[in-house]
Coordinates of all heavy atoms in Angstrom, one line a residue:
M28 N 11.1 -21.1 41.4 CA 11.9 -20.5 40.4 C 13.2 -20.0 41.0 O 13.2 -19.5 42.1 CB 11.1 -19.4 39.7 CG 11.9 -18.2 39.3 SD 10.8 -16.8 38.8 CE 11.1 -15.7 40.1
Y29 N 14.3 -20.2 40.3 CA 15.6 -19.7 40.8 C 15.8 -18.2 40.6 O 15.5 -17.7 39.5 CB 16.8 -20.4 40.2 CG 17.1 -21.8 40.8 CD1 16.6 -22.9 40.2 CD2 17.7 -21.9 42.0 CE1 16.8 -24.2 40.8 CE2 17.9 -23.1 42.6 CZ 17.5 -24.3 42.0 OH 17.7 -25.5 42.5
V30 N 16.1 -17.5 41.6 CA 16.3 -16.1 41.5 C 17.8 -15.8 41.4 O 18.3 -15.1 40.6 CB 15.7 -15.3 42.8 CG1 16.1 -13.9 42.7 CG2 14.2 -15.6 42.8
C31 N 18.6 -16.4 42.3 CA 20.0 -16.2 42.3 C 20.7 -17.5 41.9 O 20.7 -18.5 42.6 CB 20.5 -15.9 43.8 SG 22.3 -15.7 43.9
M32 N 21.2 -17.5 40.6 CA 21.8 -18.7 40.1 C 23.2 -18.9 40.7 O 23.6 -20.1 40.8 CB 22.0 -18.5 38.5 CG 20.7 -18.3 37.8 SD 19.5 -19.7 38.1 CE 20.3 -21.0 37.0
C33 N 23.9 -17.9 41.1 CA 25.2 -18.1 41.7 C 25.2 -18.9 43.0 O 26.0 -19.7 43.2 CB 25.8 -16.7 42.0 SG 26.1 -15.8 40.5
Y34 N 24.1 -18.7 43.8 CA 24.0 -19.4 45.1 C 22.9 -20.4 45.1 O 22.6 -21.0 46.1 CB 23.9 -18.4 46.2 CG 25.1 -17.6 46.5 CD1 25.1 -16.2 46.2 CD2 26.2 -18.2 47.0 CE1 26.3 -15.4 46.4 CE2 27.4 -17.4 47.2 CZ 27.4 -16.1 47.0 OH 28.5 -15.3 47.2
G35 N 22.1 -20.5 44.0 CA 21.1 -21.5 43.9 C 19.9 -21.2 44.9 O 19.4 -22.1 45.5
V36 N 19.5 -19.9 44.9 CA 18.5 -19.5 45.8 C 17.2 -19.3 45.1 O 17.1 -18.6 44.0 CB 18.8 -18.2 46.6 CG1 17.7 -17.7 47.5 CG2 20.1 -18.3 47.3
T37 N 16.1 -19.9 45.6 CA 14.8 -19.8 44.9 C 13.9 -18.7 45.5 O 14.2 -18.2 46.6 CB 14.0 -21.1 45.1 OG1 13.8 -21.3 46.5 CG2 14.7 -22.3 44.5
D38 N 12.9 -18.3 44.8 CA 12.0 -17.3 45.3 C 11.3 -17.7 46.6 O 11.1 -17.0 47.6 CB 10.9 -16.9 44.3 CG 10.1 -18.1 43.7 OD1 10.5 -19.2 44.0 OD2 9.1 -17.9 43.1
K39 N 11.0 -19.0 46.7 CA 10.4 -19.6 47.9 C 11.3 -19.4 49.1 O 10.9 -19.1 50.2 CB 10.0 -21.0 47.7 CG 8.8 -21.2 46.9 CD 8.2 -22.6 47.1 CE 6.9 -22.8 46.3 NZ 7.1 -23.1 44.9
A40 N 12.6 -19.7 48.9 CA 13.6 -19.5 50.0 C 13.7 -18.1 50.5 O 13.8 -17.8 51.7 CB 15.0 -20.0 49.5
I41 N 13.6 -17.2 49.5 CA 13.6 -15.7 49.9 C 12.4 -15.4 50.7 O 12.5 -14.8 51.8 CB 13.7 -14.8 48.7 CG1 15.1 -15.1 47.9 CG2 13.6 -13.3 49.1 CD1 15.1 -14.4 46.6
M42 N 11.2 -15.8 50.2 CA 10.0 -15.6 51.0 C 10.0 -16.2 52.4 O 9.6 -15.5 53.3 CB 8.8 -16.1 50.2 CG 8.4 -15.4 48.9 SD 7.0 -16.1 48.2 CE 7.5 -16.2 46.5
Q43 N 10.6 -17.4 52.5 CA 10.7 -18.0 53.8 C 11.6 -17.2 54.7 O 11.2 -17.1 55.9 CB 11.2 -19.5 53.6 CG 11.0 -20.4 54.7 CD 9.5 -20.7 54.9 OE1 8.8 -21.1 54.0 NE2 9.0 -20.5 56.1
A44 N 12.7 -16.7 54.2 CA 13.6 -16.0 55.0 C 13.0 -14.7 55.5 O 13.2 -14.2 56.6 CB 14.9 -15.7 54.2
V45 N 12.2 -14.0 54.6 CA 11.5 -12.8 55.0 C 10.5 -13.1 56.1 O 10.5 -12.4 57.1 CB 10.8 -12.2 53.8 CG1 9.9 -11.0 54.2 CG2 11.8 -11.7 52.8
E46 N 9.8 -14.2 56.0 CA 8.8 -14.5 57.0 C 9.4 -15.0 58.3 O 9.0 -14.6 59.4 CB 7.8 -15.6 56.5 CG 6.9 -15.0 55.4 CD 6.1 -16.1 54.7 OE1 6.1 -17.3 55.1 OE2 5.4 -15.7 53.8
D47 N 10.5 -15.8 58.2 CA 11.1 -16.4 59.4 C 12.0 -15.4 60.2 O 12.1 -15.5 61.4 CB 11.9 -17.6 59.1 CG 11.0 -18.8 58.6 OD1 9.8 -18.7 58.7 OD2 11.6 -19.8 58.1
H48 N 12.7 -14.6 59.4 CA 13.7 -13.7 60.0 C 13.4 -12.2 60.0 O 14.1 -11.4 60.4 CB 15.1 -14.0 59.4 CG 15.5 -15.4 59.5 ND1 16.0 -16.0 60.6 CD2 15.5 -16.4 58.5 CE1 16.3 -17.3 60.4 NE2 16.0 -17.5 59.1
G49 N 12.3 -11.9 59.3 CA 11.9 -10.5 59.2 C 12.8 -9.7 58.3 O 12.9 -8.4 58.5
A50 N 13.5 -10.3 57.4 CA 14.4 -9.6 56.5 C 13.6 -8.6 55.6 O 12.7 -9.0 54.9 CB 15.2 -10.5 55.6
G51 N 13.9 -7.3 55.7 CA 13.2 -6.3 54.9 C 13.9 -5.8 53.8 O 13.4 -5.0 53.0
N52 N 15.2 -6.1 53.6 CA 16.0 -5.6 52.5 C 17.1 -6.6 52.3 O 17.3 -7.6 53.0 CB 16.5 -4.2 52.8 CG 17.3 -4.1 54.1 OD1 18.1 -5.0 54.3 ND2 17.0 -3.1 54.9
L53 N 17.9 -6.4 51.2 CA 18.9 -7.3 50.8 C 20.0 -7.5 51.9 O 20.5 -8.6 52.1 CB 19.5 -6.9 49.5 CG 20.4 -7.9 48.8 CD1 19.6 -9.1 48.4 CD2 21.1 -7.3 47.6
R54 N 20.3 -6.4 52.5 CA 21.4 -6.5 53.6 C 20.9 -7.4 54.7 O 21.7 -8.3 55.2 CB 21.7 -5.1 54.1 CG 22.8 -5.0 55.1 CD 23.0 -3.6 55.7 NE 21.8 -3.0 56.2 CZ 21.3 -3.3 57.4 NH1 21.9 -4.2 58.2 NH2 20.2 -2.7 57.8
E55 N 19.7 -7.3 55.1 CA 19.2 -8.1 56.2 C 19.0 -9.6 55.7 O 19.3 -10.5 56.5 CB 17.8 -7.6 56.7 CG 18.0 -6.3 57.4 CD 16.7 -5.6 57.8 OE1 15.6 -6.1 57.4 OE2 16.7 -4.6 58.4
L56 N 18.7 -9.8 54.4 CA 18.6 -11.1 53.9 C 19.9 -11.8 53.9 O 20.1 -13.0 54.2 CB 18.0 -11.0 52.5 CG 17.5 -12.3 51.8 CD1 16.4 -12.9 52.6 CD2 17.1 -12.1 50.4
R57 N 21.0 -11.0 53.6 CA 22.3 -11.6 53.5 C 22.8 -12.0 54.9 O 23.8 -12.8 55.0 CB 23.3 -10.6 52.9 CG 23.2 -10.5 51.4 CD 24.5 -9.8 50.9 NE 24.4 -9.5 49.5 CZ 24.7 -8.3 49.0 NH1 25.1 -7.4 49.8 NH2 24.5 -8.1 47.7
E58 N 22.2 -11.6 55.9 CA 22.6 -12.0 57.3 C 22.1 -13.4 57.5 O 22.7 -14.1 58.4 CB 22.0 -11.1 58.3 CG 22.7 -9.7 58.3 CD 22.0 -8.7 59.3 OE1 21.2 -9.1 60.1 OE2 22.4 -7.5 59.2
V59 N 21.1 -13.9 56.8 CA 20.7 -15.3 56.9 C 20.9 -16.2 55.8 O 20.8 -17.4 55.9 CB 19.1 -15.3 57.3 CG1 18.9 -14.6 58.7 CG2 18.3 -14.6 56.2
M60 N 21.3 -15.7 54.6 CA 21.7 -16.5 53.5 C 22.6 -15.9 52.5 O 22.7 -14.6 52.5 CB 20.4 -16.9 52.7 CG 19.7 -15.8 52.1 SD 18.4 -16.3 50.9 CE 17.4 -17.4 51.9
E61 N 23.4 -16.7 51.8 CA 24.2 -16.2 50.7 C 23.4 -15.8 49.5 O 22.7 -16.7 49.0 CB 25.3 -17.2 50.3 CG 26.2 -17.6 51.4 CD 27.5 -16.7 51.4 OE1 27.3 -15.5 50.9 OE2 28.5 -17.1 51.8
I62 N 23.4 -14.6 49.1 CA 22.7 -14.2 47.9 C 23.2 -12.8 47.4 O 23.5 -12.0 48.2 CB 21.1 -14.1 48.2 CG1 20.4 -13.9 46.9 CG2 20.8 -13.0 49.2 CD1 18.9 -14.1 47.0
G63 N 23.3 -12.7 46.1 CA 23.5 -11.4 45.5 C 24.9 -10.8 45.5 O 25.2 -9.7 45.0
S64 N 25.9 -11.6 46.1 CA 27.2 -11.0 46.2 C 28.2 -11.5 45.2 O 29.4 -11.2 45.3 CB 27.7 -11.2 47.7 OG 27.7 -12.6 48.0
Q65 N 27.7 -12.3 44.2 CA 28.6 -12.7 43.2 C 28.5 -11.8 42.0 O 29.2 -10.8 41.9 CB 28.3 -14.2 42.8 CG 28.8 -15.2 43.8 CD 30.2 -15.6 43.6 OE1 30.8 -15.4 42.5 NE2 30.9 -16.1 44.6
C66 N 27.6 -12.1 41.1 CA 27.4 -11.3 39.9 C 26.5 -10.1 40.1 O 26.6 -9.1 39.3 CB 26.9 -12.1 38.7 SG 25.2 -12.6 38.9
G67 N 25.6 -10.2 41.0 CA 24.7 -9.1 41.3 C 23.5 -9.0 40.4 O 22.6 -8.1 40.6
K68 N 23.3 -9.9 39.5 CA 22.2 -9.9 38.6 C 20.8 -10.1 39.2 O 19.8 -9.7 38.7 CB 22.3 -10.9 37.4 CG 23.4 -10.5 36.4 CD 23.4 -11.5 35.3 CE 24.5 -11.2 34.3 NZ 25.0 -12.4 33.7
C69 N 20.8 -10.7 40.4 CA 19.6 -11.1 41.1 C 19.1 -10.0 42.0 O 18.0 -10.1 42.6 CB 19.8 -12.4 41.8 SG 21.1 -12.2 43.1
I70 N 19.9 -9.0 42.2 CA 19.6 -8.0 43.3 C 18.2 -7.3 43.1 O 17.4 -7.3 44.1 CB 20.7 -6.9 43.4 CG1 21.9 -7.6 44.0 CG2 20.3 -5.7 44.2 CD1 23.2 -6.7 44.0
S71 N 17.9 -6.8 41.9 CA 16.6 -6.1 41.8 C 15.4 -7.1 42.0 O 14.4 -6.8 42.6 CB 16.5 -5.3 40.5 OG 16.4 -6.1 39.4
M72 N 15.6 -8.3 41.4 CA 14.5 -9.3 41.5 C 14.3 -9.7 43.0 O 13.2 -9.8 43.5 CB 14.8 -10.5 40.7 CG 13.9 -11.7 40.9 SD 12.3 -11.4 40.2 CE 12.5 -12.0 38.6
T73 N 15.4 -9.8 43.7 CA 15.4 -10.2 45.1 C 14.7 -9.2 45.9 O 13.8 -9.5 46.8 CB 16.8 -10.4 45.7 OG1 17.5 -11.4 45.0 CG2 16.8 -10.8 47.2
Q74 N 15.0 -7.9 45.7 CA 14.3 -6.8 46.4 C 12.8 -6.8 46.1 O 12.0 -6.6 47.0 CB 14.9 -5.5 46.1 CG 14.4 -4.3 47.0 CD 14.7 -4.5 48.5 OE1 15.9 -4.7 48.8 NE2 13.7 -4.5 49.3
Q75 N 12.4 -7.1 44.8 CA 11.0 -7.1 44.5 C 10.3 -8.2 45.3 O 9.2 -8.0 45.7 CB 10.8 -7.4 43.0 CG 11.1 -6.1 42.1 CD 11.0 -6.5 40.6 OE1 10.2 -7.4 40.2 NE2 11.7 -5.8 39.8
I76 N 10.9 -9.4 45.4 CA 10.3 -10.5 46.1 C 10.2 -10.1 47.6 O 9.2 -10.4 48.2 CB 11.1 -11.8 45.9 CG1 11.0 -12.2 44.4 CG2 10.6 -12.9 46.8 CD1 12.0 -13.3 44.0
I77 N 11.2 -9.5 48.2 CA 11.1 -9.1 49.6 C 10.0 -8.1 49.7 O 9.1 -8.3 50.6 CB 12.5 -8.4 50.0 CG1 13.6 -9.4 50.0 CG2 12.3 -7.8 51.4 CD1 15.0 -8.8 50.2
D78 N 9.9 -7.1 48.9 CA 8.8 -6.1 49.0 C 7.4 -6.8 48.9 O 6.6 -6.5 49.7 CB 9.0 -5.1 47.9 CG 10.2 -4.2 48.1 OD1 10.8 -4.2 49.2 OD2 10.6 -3.5 47.2
S79 N 7.3 -7.7 47.9 CA 5.9 -8.2 47.7 C 5.6 -9.2 48.8 O 4.4 -9.3 49.2 CB 5.8 -8.9 46.3 OG 6.6 -9.9 46.2
T80 N 6.6 -9.8 49.4 CA 6.3 -10.7 50.5 C 5.9 -9.9 51.8 O 4.9 -10.3 52.5 CB 7.6 -11.5 50.9 OG1 8.0 -12.2 49.7 CG2 7.3 -12.6 52.0
I81 N 6.5 -8.8 52.0 CA 6.1 -7.9 53.1 C 4.7 -7.4 52.9 O 3.9 -7.4 53.9 CB 7.1 -6.8 53.3 CG1 8.5 -7.3 53.7 CG2 6.6 -5.7 54.3 CD1 9.6 -6.3 53.6
I82 N 4.4 -7.0 51.7 CA 3.0 -6.4 51.4 C 2.0 -7.5 51.7 O 0.9 -7.2 52.2 CB 3.0 -5.8 50.0 CG1 3.8 -4.6 49.9 CG2 1.6 -5.5 49.6 CD1 4.2 -4.1 48.5
D83 N 2.3 -8.7 51.3 CA 1.3 -9.8 51.4 C 1.1 -10.2 52.9 O 0.1 -10.9 53.2 CB 1.7 -11.0 50.6 CG 1.6 -10.8 49.1 OD1 0.9 -9.8 48.8 OD2 2.1 -11.6 48.3
E84 N 2.0 -9.9 53.8 CA 1.8 -10.4 55.2 C 0.7 -9.7 55.9 O 0.3 -8.6 55.6 CB 3.2 -10.1 55.9 CG 4.2 -11.2 55.6 CD 5.5 -10.9 56.3 OE1 5.6 -10.0 57.1 OE2 6.4 -11.7 56.1
Ligands
LIG371 FE1 22.7 -13.8 42.5 FE2 24.7 -13.9 40.7 S1 22.6 -14.5 40.4 S2 24.8 -13.1 42.7

């Protein structure tokens, strides 16, 4: 499912970045991919996916 329409980022891509790079928040995620800096509508959903991916690890 697409989370960030502006940059075409899926939930799977976010989960992969958290697992591969240890991104624990949006700022760290932005160091490895473009996300959330256009309209900002995806920010809360992105943080939820980061949080649930960390909990599942
Ligand atoms: Fe992510 Fe617009 S949907 S910045």
Side-chain angles (χ1 to χ4, degrees):
M28 145 188 112
Y29 279 100
V30 176
C31 181
M32 299 304 284
C33 295
Y34 291 111
V36 180
T37 62
D38 55 346
K39 285 198 174 80
I41 295 167
M42 289 182 224
Q43 197 68 51
V45 171
E46 286 172 8
D47 291 351
H48 303 284
N52 55 47
L53 192 63
R54 183 181 57 76
E55 290 172 357
L56 192 63
R57 278 198 193 133
E58 291 174 8
V59 294
M60 64 168 56
E61 293 271 28
I62 188 167
S64 55
Q65 285 275 339
C66 72
K68 285 185 185 150
C69 58
I70 288 174
S71 71
M72 174 70 90
T73 300
Q74 188 62 56
Q75 281 177 33
I76 293 168
I77 293 169
D78 291 345
S79 63
T80 305
I81 292 169
I82 289 164
D83 288 347
E84 280 177 2

